[in-house]
Amino acid sequence: MADDWAGFGADLHLELRGQGLRAGLMDALREAVRTGRLAPGARLPSSRTLAADLGIARNTVADAYAELVAEGWLTARQGSGTRVARRAAPRRSGAPSPTTPRTGRFRQRPAYSLVAGTPDLASFPRAEWLKAARRALTAAPYEAFGYGDPYGRIELRTALADYLARARGVYAEPGRIVICSGFVHGLTLLGTVLRQRKVRDVAVEAYGYAVHRERLGDTGLRLPALPFDTLGSRTGELAAMKDVGAVLLTPAHQFPMGVALHPDRRAEIVDWARRSGGLVLEDDYDGEFRYDRQPIGALQGLDPDRVVYLGTASKALAPGLRIGWLVLPQALADEVVAAKGPVDWATSTLDQLTLAEFLVSGAYDRHVRGMRLRYRRRRDQLVEALAERAPGITVSGIVAGMHAVLELPPGTETSVLQAAAWQGLLIEGLSQYRHPATPPTRDALVVGYGTPPDSAWSGTLDALCRVLP
């Protein structure tokens, strides 16, 4: 009982160097303030607590505090404790300026963003998510707070199996679902398993995310490009790619081109997988958002033993949740879990339980329907603004999703991107998504109209129209 007081107060790591405890403590505190590790206004532990933590006399700490107060490093007031003096925070060594992006494209932080692939983060359903989290936490069994099942929580896998079957036409059983920490994590696991299966090549679409190619390449796979035309990826050319053991596709809404894979090619890709023993990796990144067409079901429903379905909460909710899922053939599920490890080191159990509750309660469906209306309204406003202020620009890929492709006159993509940077507009050109082996044939912008919050949408649209030729 005599030492109970030592458990109170904030922890503070200090390394005392040099001769003399008081001088060493003062030097350590000055260094912590100078480097920004102790921020202006930060409250320090009481002299009694810090003395107990460091194993030194309380008077030594009190004397050090008093001298640093006299020097202006600290302040001390009755009832407020000892704090770091409020003055200009020093710049941390080696840290980038907060107003300068790491890319160096902008002299200041972009005022507007139309980067594709990100939802309107301001619309995250905080209140409903909090309600679901409370219900999930109340109902969670005690074992949920241990190291997780590498397959993922059974509550979430069961809820996903029901939702994906109903909303996306996926053949999904809880035992075939593996929860992962987002799409890239799932793709990396699949790449690892494919290499273990002696697969050498995975075909990828001519246009797509470079980071997806990079992660697959990091596992040792080669990534030949599958050509693209107005009907989507030319799946018939897989027959001539002898070393290809799998193909990564976005069949419902090709990213970034926005084309749905033609029905004949959907059948063709499944036939290829059956004949060759290959796998189709289906990225269903925005399957919930469609506007001017009937929903296109997942390719996985055509052959659950040859198609791996990859989904994520990143587009419908927020990428910060870091929750994705793989619906796999059973044998492959076991191999993916073996690659993942004996426990789930990546995905928060409580977030999994909350998402399961969010799905089961119907809150997920309500949120998706609301965002579908919001994004459709954004899309219509984009098309109307371009028709009025940039009538020479053709817009495509807008029947679904959260982005559009704006065709530019040949040779103008670079100059338009430069003009956008000067306007404080963050936007990407089509060339940034092109596979290195794909010849440049088009100049275009990829416009993510889901990204800006409502408060910035009008200004962002104006900035876009100002930079278009």
Side-chain angles (χ1 to χ4, degrees), residues 222-309:
R222 297 180 304 199
L223 305 165
L226 197 59
F228 177 89
D229 60 25
T230 57
L231 302 182
S233 294
R234 285 156 47 181
T235 54
E237 301 200 15
L238 281 169
M241 299 180 177
K242 300 302 182 184
D243 291 327
V244 168
V247 56
L248 175 63
L249 295 175
T250 50
H253 188 227
Q254 202 283 329
F255 187 85
M257 295 304 200
V259 176
L261 189 64
H262 191 275
D264 291 345
R265 293 185 179 179
R266 287 168 63 91
E268 188 174 53
I269 192 70
V270 171
D271 288 343
W272 167 83
R274 290 169 177 167
R275 290 194 311 270
S276 66
L279 288 170
V280 181
L281 313 183
E282 179 182 13
D283 178 5
D284 193 35
Y285 67 100
D286 65 358
E288 293 98 341
F289 301 118
R290 71 275 179 182
Y291 314 119
D292 303 324
R293 71 179 190 198
Q294 292 297 313
I296 296 176
L299 188 68
Q300 190 262 8
L302 297 179
D303 194 334
D305 290 326
R306 304 270 28 120
V307 181
V308 175
Y309 179 91

Side-chain angles (χ1 to χ4, degrees), residues 53 87-88 190 202 256 262 275 287 371 379 386 425 435 440 464:
D53 288 346
R87 54 185 178 182
L190 286 170
V202 173
H262 191 275
R275 290 194 311 270
M371 297 309 296
R379 182 208 64 171
L386 294 174
L425 173 62
H435 189 286
L464 173 65

